[in-house]
Amino acid sequence: MNILTCLKRVPETGAKIVLTDDNQEIDTTNLGFTMSPHEECAIEEAVQIVEGQGGTATVLTLGSEEATEQVRTGIAMQADEGVLLETDGSEWGPRNIAGAIADFVRQRMERGDGFDLLLFGNESADTGNYQVGVRVANELDLPCITSIKDLEVTDDGVVARREIPRGSEVYELDLPAVVAVKEGLNEPRYASMRARMQARRQEVKRVTPERRHERGLEKLSLQSPEDDDGETDILGDSPDAVPAIMDVLETDLEVL
Amino acid sequence: MILSFVEHEDGKPEDSSVEMLTLARDVAGQHDVPLEAVVFSAGEGVAEAVGAFGVETVHVVDHDGIRDYAPEAWAESVNQLVSELEPEAVLAPGSERGHEVLAHVASKRGLPMAANCLDVTAGEAYELTRQRWGGTLLENARLTGETKLLTVAPNEISTEQIADPNGATTREFQPTLADEDLRVGLVEIEESDEEGIPLGEARIVVSGGRGVGSAEEFDKLEELADLLDAAIGSSRAAVNEGWRSHDDQVGQTGAKISPTLYIPCGISGAVQHMVGCKGAENILAINTDPEAAIVDHADYAVIADLHEVVPALNEAIREQKDGA
Ligand SMILES: Cc1cc2nc3c(=O)[nH]c(=O)nc-3n(C[C@H](O)[C@H](O)[C@H](O)COP(=O)(O)OP(=O)(O)OC[C@H]3O[C@@H](n4cnc5c(N)ncnc54)[C@H](O)[C@@H]3O)c2cc1C
């Protein structure tokens, strides 16, 4: 089975998000980069399926040269092949990203080198648009399901489960198909140091994508939400604070 | 008109749909046009329920193939309804189905879609505010397109009924669906055999992070949770360490919770964690680091080793219960 997993490079923000002076971007001067937890799970799933039944796991991202770092993380997690749809690093909207990915998949299909399963993170960690996977599925006329937390390959296709309160919904899809997944799907492996070193040497294929659409959703500016944090009542700095905690639980909050 | 996609269970609209309707009514007011709704399978009382939030007409999609959820078929139905009604905008809740259905509609119509919006200034183009990073960052954006498509961020909008509701008029809508539209659909629902209080519904959540130190050390937190009838939560770090299952994770890529009391122990308060628990009414943090972000966000904090504080607290609660 040949599986394509699509991921996105995002800054690894910590206790606070700092914006650039013009409020257009996150100030990444002091930040590392990562991919969304959803996509780590997608790669892990692809690699596990391929380990179980053969085939290839390909990881792809659309972004600047720097995004090869995240593609190589995928390779270090034992994906076979990495692809960069190389841009100047500016923000592409979901329609254009989906269009570029669909173009790539179509070219591979025409070469007889297509994919049986396309995996996406359910939403990107940063822009949270919730639509790239769906748009790719529509462009390629493939069945699609999103918000998936459990995936099983069967003789006929895939069985996908979506979590709901107290249970899960079950969906069945024929292959080829598009599935957008969420963290919790599996426990992604840590790539070993050795695997990371090897991944650094592996070639990442580069493709220049075509940007087809005008921006339909145009970013004007970014802003941090107001935090309505009031004062913090420090109850103590040792277990001697327990009576004060009891007082809060009993009197202030009435939860005891 | 403005069309809204309403999710309901046996006629009772989901909270996220009611929140969406509150914003949809605002948008309809700005255009000075009526608010209408599309629902799948008519539940008893759905017209009255959405009428209370200003919906004038409910289009009930009636088709044998799609009594149960079928994303592509539901989206194709909405798509056909949009062609017929030519609404200024379609709003859906920022739920899993809301995002999925509207993304399909957007894709079918070749239109942009704005996810998780908080407010909208309607006009030829819409100027809107939406969530990025699961709500830790906001984006002000301009949305264009013949029909504006947007989902509404859950748990952000305080709902408001209209003054004197008349109930909505119901109208049946029969979509024309091809086999292909029906290829993906809900096959069955499996009930989980998990016991205990689900994280999302718990009144109190005791949560642990990297500071807990090991899976075994979570026993102390479990005990506190038992004593308080609380559920257990965790940070992503604790899940990555293999101490807890991902089901317990609170945050951007985990559960969003809104308990009366949240007790994070050994959790630093990264933005991706805080978006999961910002709905908590009260936060009582236990952390050794007075500079940790979680202490800033908390209402009450104990700056001490959780391994000492939690057992002492358990003891005190046990004594109090025995005494009572
Ligand atoms: C796209 C993305 C999505 C993410 N999604 C999530 C998510 O859904 N949920 C989530 O939680 N994280 C998420 N993260 C990760 C997040 O950024 C943090 O890395 C994570 O929350 C840190 O977990 P922590 O607070 O347990 O660990 P740390 O940040 O390491 O903090 C440990 C804390 O424990 C305290 N401590 C240590 N020892 C003790 C002791 N003995 N007693 C008391 N306190 C002690 C320390 O002072 C410190 O504050 C996400 C990250 C990204 C990039």
mmCIF file of all heavy atoms in Angstrom, chain A residues 175-220:
data_model
loop_
_atom_site.group_PDB
_atom_site.id
_atom_site.type_symbol
_atom_site.label_atom_id
_atom_site.label_comp_id
_atom_site.label_asym_id
_atom_site.label_seq_id
_atom_site.Cartn_x
_atom_site.Cartn_y
_atom_site.Cartn_z
ATOM 1 N N LEU A 175 -10.730 2.235 -0.933
ATOM 2 C CA LEU A 175 -9.493 2.902 -1.310
ATOM 3 C C LEU A 175 -9.486 3.118 -2.824
ATOM 4 O O LEU A 175 -10.107 2.339 -3.534
ATOM 5 C CB LEU A 175 -8.301 2.049 -0.881
ATOM 6 C CG LEU A 175 -8.165 1.871 0.639
ATOM 7 C CD1 LEU A 175 -7.020 0.922 0.953
ATOM 8 C CD2 LEU A 175 -7.975 3.210 1.332
ATOM 9 N N PRO A 176 -8.802 4.114 -3.299
ATOM 10 C CA PRO A 176 -8.054 5.129 -2.552
ATOM 11 C C PRO A 176 -8.987 6.096 -1.818
ATOM 12 O O PRO A 176 -10.097 6.338 -2.263
ATOM 13 C CB PRO A 176 -7.255 5.850 -3.649
ATOM 14 C CG PRO A 176 -7.963 5.554 -4.920
ATOM 15 C CD PRO A 176 -8.665 4.254 -4.751
ATOM 16 N N ALA A 177 -8.473 6.633 -0.710
ATOM 17 C CA ALA A 177 -9.296 7.511 0.111
ATOM 18 C C ALA A 177 -8.434 8.564 0.799
ATOM 19 O O ALA A 177 -7.211 8.433 0.868
ATOM 20 C CB ALA A 177 -10.023 6.681 1.164
ATOM 21 N N VAL A 178 -9.120 9.587 1.296
ATOM 22 C CA VAL A 178 -8.468 10.646 2.070
ATOM 23 C C VAL A 178 -8.974 10.571 3.511
ATOM 24 O O VAL A 178 -10.179 10.515 3.739
ATOM 25 C CB VAL A 178 -8.816 12.037 1.482
ATOM 26 C CG1 VAL A 178 -8.312 13.150 2.392
ATOM 27 C CG2 VAL A 178 -8.238 12.189 0.083
ATOM 28 N N VAL A 179 -8.044 10.543 4.464
ATOM 29 C CA VAL A 179 -8.438 10.485 5.870
ATOM 30 C C VAL A 179 -7.677 11.563 6.639
ATOM 31 O O VAL A 179 -6.451 11.647 6.552
ATOM 32 C CB VAL A 179 -8.137 9.095 6.477
ATOM 33 C CG1 VAL A 179 -8.540 9.052 7.945
ATOM 34 C CG2 VAL A 179 -8.860 7.985 5.705
ATOM 35 N N ALA A 180 -8.401 12.413 7.357
ATOM 36 C CA ALA A 180 -7.774 13.438 8.202
ATOM 37 C C ALA A 180 -7.859 12.972 9.649
ATOM 38 O O ALA A 180 -8.940 12.640 10.136
ATOM 39 C CB ALA A 180 -8.478 14.775 8.021
ATOM 40 N N VAL A 181 -6.704 12.922 10.317
ATOM 41 C CA VAL A 181 -6.627 12.265 11.625
ATOM 42 C C VAL A 181 -6.297 13.237 12.748
ATOM 43 O O VAL A 181 -5.807 14.352 12.522
ATOM 44 C CB VAL A 181 -5.581 11.133 11.601
ATOM 45 C CG1 VAL A 181 -5.907 10.123 10.511
ATOM 46 C CG2 VAL A 181 -4.164 11.682 11.431
ATOM 47 N N LYS A 182 -6.538 12.766 13.962
ATOM 48 C CA LYS A 182 -6.263 13.567 15.145
ATOM 49 C C LYS A 182 -5.287 12.860 16.071
ATOM 50 O O LYS A 182 -5.183 11.626 16.057
ATOM 51 C CB LYS A 182 -7.578 13.817 15.897
ATOM 52 C CG LYS A 182 -8.516 14.710 15.122
ATOM 53 C CD LYS A 182 -9.843 14.876 15.785
ATOM 54 C CE LYS A 182 -9.780 15.704 17.041
ATOM 55 N NZ LYS A 182 -11.132 16.205 17.412
ATOM 56 N N GLU A 183 -4.629 13.646 16.900
ATOM 57 C CA GLU A 183 -3.735 13.067 17.893
ATOM 58 C C GLU A 183 -4.527 12.089 18.758
ATOM 59 O O GLU A 183 -5.688 12.336 19.074
ATOM 60 C CB GLU A 183 -3.117 14.155 18.772
ATOM 61 C CG GLU A 183 -2.018 13.596 19.658
ATOM 62 C CD GLU A 183 -1.409 14.632 20.601
ATOM 63 O OE1 GLU A 183 -2.056 15.640 20.908
ATOM 64 O OE2 GLU A 183 -0.283 14.417 21.025
ATOM 65 N N GLY A 184 -3.870 11.001 19.171
ATOM 66 C CA GLY A 184 -4.561 9.964 19.917
ATOM 67 C C GLY A 184 -4.782 8.740 19.037
ATOM 68 O O GLY A 184 -5.113 7.662 19.504
ATOM 69 N N LEU A 185 -4.547 8.912 17.731
ATOM 70 C CA LEU A 185 -4.679 7.816 16.770
ATOM 71 C C LEU A 185 -3.743 6.663 17.133
ATOM 72 O O LEU A 185 -4.070 5.495 16.977
ATOM 73 C CB LEU A 185 -4.325 8.355 15.377
ATOM 74 C CG LEU A 185 -4.434 7.422 14.187
ATOM 75 C CD1 LEU A 185 -5.895 7.162 13.859
ATOM 76 C CD2 LEU A 185 -3.735 8.015 12.960
ATOM 77 N N ASN A 186 -2.564 7.007 17.608
ATOM 78 C CA ASN A 186 -1.541 6.020 17.975
ATOM 79 C C ASN A 186 -0.513 6.745 18.835
ATOM 80 O O ASN A 186 -0.684 7.934 19.117
ATOM 81 C CB ASN A 186 -0.884 5.444 16.715
ATOM 82 C CG ASN A 186 -0.421 6.549 15.778
ATOM 83 O OD1 ASN A 186 0.083 7.584 16.220
ATOM 84 N ND2 ASN A 186 -0.596 6.362 14.492
ATOM 85 N N GLU A 187 0.524 6.041 19.217
ATOM 86 C CA GLU A 187 1.606 6.707 19.946
ATOM 87 C C GLU A 187 2.798 6.822 19.019
ATOM 88 O O GLU A 187 3.491 5.845 18.771
ATOM 89 C CB GLU A 187 1.967 5.902 21.198
ATOM 90 C CG GLU A 187 0.897 6.001 22.252
ATOM 91 C CD GLU A 187 1.104 5.025 23.413
ATOM 92 O OE1 GLU A 187 2.277 4.650 23.687
ATOM 93 O OE2 GLU A 187 0.103 4.636 24.019
ATOM 94 N N PRO A 188 3.043 8.023 18.489
ATOM 95 C CA PRO A 188 4.140 8.165 17.527
ATOM 96 C C PRO A 188 5.480 7.815 18.157
ATOM 97 O O PRO A 188 5.710 8.093 19.324
ATOM 98 C CB PRO A 188 4.105 9.650 17.148
ATOM 99 C CG PRO A 188 2.900 10.226 17.759
ATOM 100 C CD PRO A 188 2.368 9.288 18.770
ATOM 101 N N ARG A 189 6.333 7.185 17.367
ATOM 102 C CA ARG A 189 7.650 6.788 17.866
ATOM 103 C C ARG A 189 8.556 8.002 17.980
ATOM 104 O O ARG A 189 8.364 9.005 17.284
ATOM 105 C CB ARG A 189 8.258 5.762 16.919
ATOM 106 C CG ARG A 189 8.646 6.325 15.555
ATOM 107 C CD ARG A 189 8.902 5.221 14.550
ATOM 108 N NE ARG A 189 7.674 4.508 14.210
ATOM 109 C CZ ARG A 189 7.648 3.360 13.536
ATOM 110 N NH1 ARG A 189 8.761 2.782 13.143
ATOM 111 N NH2 ARG A 189 6.488 2.784 13.251
ATOM 112 N N TYR A 190 9.537 7.900 18.838
ATOM 113 C CA TYR A 190 10.632 8.873 18.841
ATOM 114 C C TYR A 190 11.661 8.378 17.850
ATOM 115 O O TYR A 190 12.071 7.226 17.916
ATOM 116 C CB TYR A 190 11.290 8.942 20.220
ATOM 117 C CG TYR A 190 10.568 9.845 21.191
ATOM 118 C CD1 TYR A 190 9.978 9.331 22.333
ATOM 119 C CD2 TYR A 190 10.502 11.208 20.957
ATOM 120 C CE1 TYR A 190 9.318 10.150 23.225
ATOM 121 C CE2 TYR A 190 9.836 12.044 21.837
ATOM 122 C CZ TYR A 190 9.250 11.508 22.975
ATOM 123 O OH TYR A 190 8.596 12.326 23.839
ATOM 124 N N ALA A 191 12.069 9.232 16.943
ATOM 125 C CA ALA A 191 13.099 8.823 15.993
ATOM 126 C C ALA A 191 14.428 8.746 16.736
ATOM 127 O O ALA A 191 14.757 9.640 17.513
ATOM 128 C CB ALA A 191 13.174 9.826 14.860
ATOM 129 N N SER A 192 15.169 7.685 16.510
ATOM 130 C CA SER A 192 16.460 7.538 17.177
ATOM 131 C C SER A 192 17.456 8.531 16.576
ATOM 132 O O SER A 192 17.264 9.036 15.475
ATOM 133 C CB SER A 192 16.992 6.112 16.991
ATOM 134 O OG SER A 192 17.300 5.908 15.629
ATOM 135 N N MET A 193 18.520 8.776 17.307
ATOM 136 C CA MET A 193 19.581 9.666 16.844
ATOM 137 C C MET A 193 20.110 9.175 15.502
ATOM 138 O O MET A 193 20.316 9.958 14.574
ATOM 139 C CB MET A 193 20.700 9.670 17.897
ATOM 140 C CG MET A 193 21.494 10.936 17.917
ATOM 141 S SD MET A 193 20.369 12.345 17.963
ATOM 142 C CE MET A 193 21.454 13.598 17.442
ATOM 143 N N ARG A 194 20.280 7.858 15.411
ATOM 144 C CA ARG A 194 20.837 7.266 14.203
ATOM 145 C C ARG A 194 19.883 7.511 13.023
ATOM 146 O O ARG A 194 20.312 7.889 11.930
ATOM 147 C CB ARG A 194 21.046 5.770 14.441
ATOM 148 C CG ARG A 194 21.816 5.106 13.364
ATOM 149 C CD ARG A 194 22.519 3.836 13.807
ATOM 150 N NE ARG A 194 22.792 3.036 12.624
ATOM 151 C CZ ARG A 194 21.944 2.127 12.150
ATOM 152 N NH1 ARG A 194 20.808 1.893 12.764
ATOM 153 N NH2 ARG A 194 22.253 1.451 11.060
ATOM 154 N N ALA A 195 18.609 7.306 13.267
ATOM 155 C CA ALA A 195 17.628 7.513 12.199
ATOM 156 C C ALA A 195 17.622 8.971 11.760
ATOM 157 O O ALA A 195 17.495 9.286 10.575
ATOM 158 C CB ALA A 195 16.239 7.096 12.687
ATOM 159 N N ARG A 196 17.792 9.874 12.725
ATOM 160 C CA ARG A 196 17.824 11.301 12.375
ATOM 161 C C ARG A 196 19.038 11.631 11.514
ATOM 162 O O ARG A 196 18.956 12.402 10.565
ATOM 163 C CB ARG A 196 17.862 12.151 13.652
ATOM 164 C CG ARG A 196 16.525 12.256 14.297
ATOM 165 C CD ARG A 196 16.560 13.085 15.571
ATOM 166 N NE ARG A 196 15.306 12.922 16.270
ATOM 167 C CZ ARG A 196 14.187 13.568 15.950
ATOM 168 N NH1 ARG A 196 14.183 14.469 14.986
ATOM 169 N NH2 ARG A 196 13.079 13.335 16.618
ATOM 170 N N MET A 197 20.191 11.031 11.881
ATOM 171 C CA MET A 197 21.406 11.274 11.110
ATOM 172 C C MET A 197 21.222 10.768 9.678
ATOM 173 O O MET A 197 21.571 11.448 8.717
ATOM 174 C CB MET A 197 22.596 10.540 11.751
ATOM 175 C CG MET A 197 22.963 11.017 13.142
ATOM 176 S SD MET A 197 23.503 12.722 13.160
ATOM 177 C CE MET A 197 25.149 12.497 12.489
ATOM 178 N N GLN A 198 20.641 9.562 9.562
ATOM 179 C CA GLN A 198 20.437 8.997 8.226
ATOM 180 C C GLN A 198 19.470 9.847 7.408
ATOM 181 O O GLN A 198 19.684 10.058 6.218
ATOM 182 C CB GLN A 198 19.900 7.571 8.344
ATOM 183 C CG GLN A 198 21.001 6.575 8.669
ATOM 184 C CD GLN A 198 20.442 5.194 8.969
ATOM 185 O OE1 GLN A 198 19.254 5.040 9.222
ATOM 186 N NE2 GLN A 198 21.323 4.204 8.972
ATOM 187 N N ALA A 199 18.442 10.337 8.090
ATOM 188 C CA ALA A 199 17.433 11.129 7.381
ATOM 189 C C ALA A 199 18.042 12.398 6.812
ATOM 190 O O ALA A 199 17.612 12.908 5.776
ATOM 191 C CB ALA A 199 16.279 11.463 8.331
ATOM 192 N N ARG A 200 19.044 12.908 7.515
ATOM 193 C CA ARG A 200 19.677 14.142 7.046
ATOM 194 C C ARG A 200 20.342 13.960 5.690
ATOM 195 O O ARG A 200 20.489 14.905 4.928
ATOM 196 C CB ARG A 200 20.717 14.609 8.062
ATOM 197 C CG ARG A 200 20.188 15.741 8.935
ATOM 198 C CD ARG A 200 21.312 16.511 9.548
ATOM 199 N NE ARG A 200 21.545 16.001 10.889
ATOM 200 C CZ ARG A 200 22.600 16.307 11.631
ATOM 201 N NH1 ARG A 200 23.545 17.094 11.144
ATOM 202 N NH2 ARG A 200 22.739 15.835 12.836
ATOM 203 N N ARG A 201 20.771 12.721 5.448
ATOM 204 C CA ARG A 201 21.475 12.473 4.184
ATOM 205 C C ARG A 201 20.539 12.115 3.040
ATOM 206 O O ARG A 201 20.941 12.105 1.894
ATOM 207 C CB ARG A 201 22.505 11.348 4.385
ATOM 208 C CG ARG A 201 23.724 11.820 5.171
ATOM 209 C CD ARG A 201 24.860 10.828 5.063
ATOM 210 N NE ARG A 201 24.519 9.533 5.653
ATOM 211 C CZ ARG A 201 24.726 9.225 6.927
ATOM 212 N NH1 ARG A 201 25.267 10.098 7.737
ATOM 213 N NH2 ARG A 201 24.406 8.047 7.390
ATOM 214 N N GLN A 202 19.290 11.789 3.376
ATOM 215 C CA GLN A 202 18.386 11.356 2.308
ATOM 216 C C GLN A 202 17.883 12.543 1.481
ATOM 217 O O GLN A 202 17.604 13.613 2.022
ATOM 218 C CB GLN A 202 17.204 10.594 2.892
ATOM 219 C CG GLN A 202 16.412 9.890 1.806
ATOM 220 C CD GLN A 202 15.455 8.865 2.370
ATOM 221 O OE1 GLN A 202 15.703 8.291 3.422
ATOM 222 N NE2 GLN A 202 14.353 8.651 1.669
ATOM 223 N N GLU A 203 17.743 12.291 0.214
ATOM 224 C CA GLU A 203 17.284 13.362 -0.678
ATOM 225 C C GLU A 203 15.795 13.644 -0.448
ATOM 226 O O GLU A 203 15.004 12.733 -0.269
ATOM 227 C CB GLU A 203 17.505 12.917 -2.135
ATOM 228 C CG GLU A 203 17.169 13.980 -3.144
ATOM 229 C CD GLU A 203 16.671 13.394 -4.462
ATOM 230 O OE1 GLU A 203 16.598 12.157 -4.591
ATOM 231 O OE2 GLU A 203 16.352 14.194 -5.349
ATOM 232 N N VAL A 204 15.449 14.934 -0.436
ATOM 233 C CA VAL A 204 14.043 15.317 -0.419
ATOM 234 C C VAL A 204 13.714 15.833 -1.821
ATOM 235 O O VAL A 204 14.366 16.757 -2.309
ATOM 236 C CB VAL A 204 13.779 16.411 0.647
ATOM 237 C CG1 VAL A 204 12.362 16.951 0.529
ATOM 238 C CG2 VAL A 204 14.034 15.862 2.052
ATOM 239 N N LYS A 205 12.724 15.196 -2.460
ATOM 240 C CA LYS A 205 12.388 15.612 -3.835
ATOM 241 C C LYS A 205 11.720 16.979 -3.811
ATOM 242 O O LYS A 205 10.898 17.255 -2.955
ATOM 243 C CB LYS A 205 11.426 14.595 -4.452
ATOM 244 C CG LYS A 205 12.027 13.229 -4.570
ATOM 245 C CD LYS A 205 11.204 12.346 -5.506
ATOM 246 C CE LYS A 205 11.835 10.979 -5.651
ATOM 247 N NZ LYS A 205 11.553 10.087 -4.509
ATOM 248 N N ARG A 206 12.075 17.808 -4.750
ATOM 249 C CA ARG A 206 11.490 19.151 -4.806
ATOM 250 C C ARG A 206 10.618 19.309 -6.029
ATOM 251 O O ARG A 206 10.996 18.896 -7.117
ATOM 252 C CB ARG A 206 12.603 20.199 -4.851
ATOM 253 C CG ARG A 206 13.169 20.446 -3.482
ATOM 254 C CD ARG A 206 14.645 20.758 -3.581
ATOM 255 N NE ARG A 206 15.313 20.203 -2.407
ATOM 256 C CZ ARG A 206 15.595 20.918 -1.332
ATOM 257 N NH1 ARG A 206 15.298 22.197 -1.291
ATOM 258 N NH2 ARG A 206 16.181 20.358 -0.299
ATOM 259 N N VAL A 207 9.494 19.906 -5.831
ATOM 260 C CA VAL A 207 8.555 20.174 -6.911
ATOM 261 C C VAL A 207 8.124 21.628 -6.753
ATOM 262 O O VAL A 207 7.933 22.088 -5.627
ATOM 263 C CB VAL A 207 7.309 19.260 -6.795
ATOM 264 C CG1 VAL A 207 6.295 19.562 -7.887
ATOM 265 C CG2 VAL A 207 7.712 17.786 -6.816
ATOM 266 N N THR A 208 8.015 22.350 -7.871
ATOM 267 C CA THR A 208 7.530 23.732 -7.774
ATOM 268 C C THR A 208 6.028 23.752 -8.019
ATOM 269 O O THR A 208 5.588 23.433 -9.121
ATOM 270 C CB THR A 208 8.249 24.632 -8.790
ATOM 271 O OG1 THR A 208 9.659 24.456 -8.593
ATOM 272 C CG2 THR A 208 7.887 26.098 -8.573
ATOM 273 N N PRO A 209 5.260 24.082 -7.003
ATOM 274 C CA PRO A 209 3.802 24.030 -7.164
ATOM 275 C C PRO A 209 3.261 25.280 -7.831
ATOM 276 O O PRO A 209 3.905 26.318 -7.846
ATOM 277 C CB PRO A 209 3.306 23.957 -5.718
ATOM 278 C CG PRO A 209 4.340 24.698 -4.938
ATOM 279 C CD PRO A 209 5.654 24.486 -5.637
ATOM 280 N N GLU A 210 2.058 25.138 -8.353
ATOM 281 C CA GLU A 210 1.404 26.264 -9.011
ATOM 282 C C GLU A 210 0.348 26.854 -8.075
ATOM 283 O O GLU A 210 -0.443 26.124 -7.488
ATOM 284 C CB GLU A 210 0.732 25.773 -10.304
ATOM 285 C CG GLU A 210 0.249 26.882 -11.184
ATOM 286 C CD GLU A 210 -0.719 26.352 -12.240
ATOM 287 O OE1 GLU A 210 -0.631 25.156 -12.585
ATOM 288 O OE2 GLU A 210 -1.571 27.136 -12.687
ATOM 289 N N ARG A 211 0.360 28.162 -7.954
ATOM 290 C CA ARG A 211 -0.606 28.845 -7.096
ATOM 291 C C ARG A 211 -1.742 29.339 -7.973
ATOM 292 O O ARG A 211 -1.549 30.230 -8.791
ATOM 293 C CB ARG A 211 0.118 30.019 -6.421
ATOM 294 C CG ARG A 211 -0.613 30.647 -5.281
ATOM 295 C CD ARG A 211 0.371 31.601 -4.608
ATOM 296 N NE ARG A 211 -0.196 32.236 -3.456
ATOM 297 C CZ ARG A 211 0.539 32.752 -2.472
ATOM 298 N NH1 ARG A 211 1.848 32.678 -2.513
ATOM 299 N NH2 ARG A 211 -0.033 33.338 -1.463
ATOM 300 N N ARG A 212 -2.908 28.735 -7.820
ATOM 301 C CA ARG A 212 -3.960 28.954 -8.808
ATOM 302 C C ARG A 212 -4.964 30.044 -8.449
ATOM 303 O O ARG A 212 -5.574 30.643 -9.291
ATOM 304 C CB ARG A 212 -4.737 27.656 -9.005
ATOM 305 C CG ARG A 212 -4.009 26.647 -9.823
ATOM 306 C CD ARG A 212 -4.943 25.517 -10.181
ATOM 307 N NE ARG A 212 -4.519 24.279 -9.528
ATOM 308 C CZ ARG A 212 -5.342 23.290 -9.218
ATOM 309 N NH1 ARG A 212 -6.627 23.413 -9.438
ATOM 310 N NH2 ARG A 212 -4.869 22.206 -8.659
ATOM 311 N N HIS A 213 -5.187 30.207 -7.145
ATOM 312 C CA HIS A 213 -6.304 31.071 -6.745
ATOM 313 C C HIS A 213 -5.835 32.386 -6.131
ATOM 314 O O HIS A 213 -4.765 32.460 -5.538
ATOM 315 C CB HIS A 213 -7.169 30.361 -5.689
ATOM 316 C CG HIS A 213 -7.722 29.062 -6.148
ATOM 317 N ND1 HIS A 213 -8.867 28.968 -6.895
ATOM 318 C CD2 HIS A 213 -7.275 27.793 -5.965
ATOM 319 C CE1 HIS A 213 -9.119 27.691 -7.149
ATOM 320 N NE2 HIS A 213 -8.160 26.954 -6.594
ATOM 321 N N GLU A 214 -6.710 33.365 -6.229
ATOM 322 C CA GLU A 214 -6.552 34.575 -5.421
ATOM 323 C C GLU A 214 -6.840 34.206 -3.980
ATOM 324 O O GLU A 214 -7.475 33.190 -3.708
ATOM 325 C CB GLU A 214 -7.593 35.620 -5.868
ATOM 326 C CG GLU A 214 -7.343 36.211 -7.233
ATOM 327 C CD GLU A 214 -6.060 37.022 -7.236
ATOM 328 O OE1 GLU A 214 -5.919 37.896 -6.366
ATOM 329 O OE2 GLU A 214 -5.209 36.767 -8.110
ATOM 330 N N ARG A 215 -6.443 35.052 -3.090
ATOM 331 C CA ARG A 215 -6.763 34.779 -1.692
ATOM 332 C C ARG A 215 -8.233 35.094 -1.435
ATOM 333 O O ARG A 215 -8.671 36.201 -1.665
ATOM 334 C CB ARG A 215 -5.917 35.663 -0.788
ATOM 335 C CG ARG A 215 -4.514 35.192 -0.691
ATOM 336 C CD ARG A 215 -3.855 35.727 0.560
ATOM 337 N NE ARG A 215 -2.992 34.683 1.073
ATOM 338 C CZ ARG A 215 -3.327 33.885 2.056
ATOM 339 N NH1 ARG A 215 -4.473 34.002 2.656
ATOM 340 N NH2 ARG A 215 -2.496 32.961 2.471
ATOM 341 N N GLY A 216 -8.967 34.129 -0.934
ATOM 342 C CA GLY A 216 -10.361 34.387 -0.610
ATOM 343 C C GLY A 216 -10.528 34.790 0.836
ATOM 344 O O GLY A 216 -11.479 35.475 1.214
ATOM 345 N N LEU A 217 -9.589 34.347 1.641
ATOM 346 C CA LEU A 217 -9.583 34.715 3.056
ATOM 347 C C LEU A 217 -8.228 35.358 3.299
ATOM 348 O O LEU A 217 -7.201 34.698 3.291
ATOM 349 C CB LEU A 217 -9.756 33.484 3.949
ATOM 350 C CG LEU A 217 -9.727 33.754 5.449
ATOM 351 C CD1 LEU A 217 -10.926 34.583 5.880
ATOM 352 C CD2 LEU A 217 -9.698 32.452 6.241
ATOM 353 N N GLU A 218 -8.267 36.663 3.476
ATOM 354 C CA GLU A 218 -7.014 37.411 3.514
ATOM 355 C C GLU A 218 -6.725 37.873 4.936
ATOM 356 O O GLU A 218 -7.553 38.547 5.555
ATOM 357 C CB GLU A 218 -7.159 38.624 2.576
ATOM 358 C CG GLU A 218 -5.918 39.388 2.354
ATOM 359 C CD GLU A 218 -6.235 40.733 1.685
ATOM 360 O OE1 GLU A 218 -7.378 40.906 1.187
ATOM 361 O OE2 GLU A 218 -5.357 41.602 1.697
ATOM 362 N N LYS A 219 -5.554 37.512 5.412
ATOM 363 C CA LYS A 219 -5.166 37.921 6.762
ATOM 364 C C LYS A 219 -4.900 39.420 6.789
ATOM 365 O O LYS A 219 -4.156 39.938 5.967
ATOM 366 C CB LYS A 219 -3.901 37.162 7.171
ATOM 367 C CG LYS A 219 -3.324 37.604 8.504
ATOM 368 C CD LYS A 219 -2.097 36.790 8.868
ATOM 369 C CE LYS A 219 -0.904 37.138 7.962
ATOM 370 N NZ LYS A 219 0.279 36.313 8.233
ATOM 371 N N LEU A 220 -5.502 40.120 7.730
ATOM 372 C CA LEU A 220 -5.225 41.548 7.891
ATOM 373 C C LEU A 220 -4.214 41.758 9.006
ATOM 374 O O LEU A 220 -3.253 42.495 8.861
ATOM 375 C CB LEU A 220 -6.523 42.306 8.183
ATOM 376 C CG LEU A 220 -7.631 42.154 7.125
ATOM 377 C CD1 LEU A 220 -8.911 42.826 7.570
ATOM 378 C CD2 LEU A 220 -7.159 42.714 5.780
#
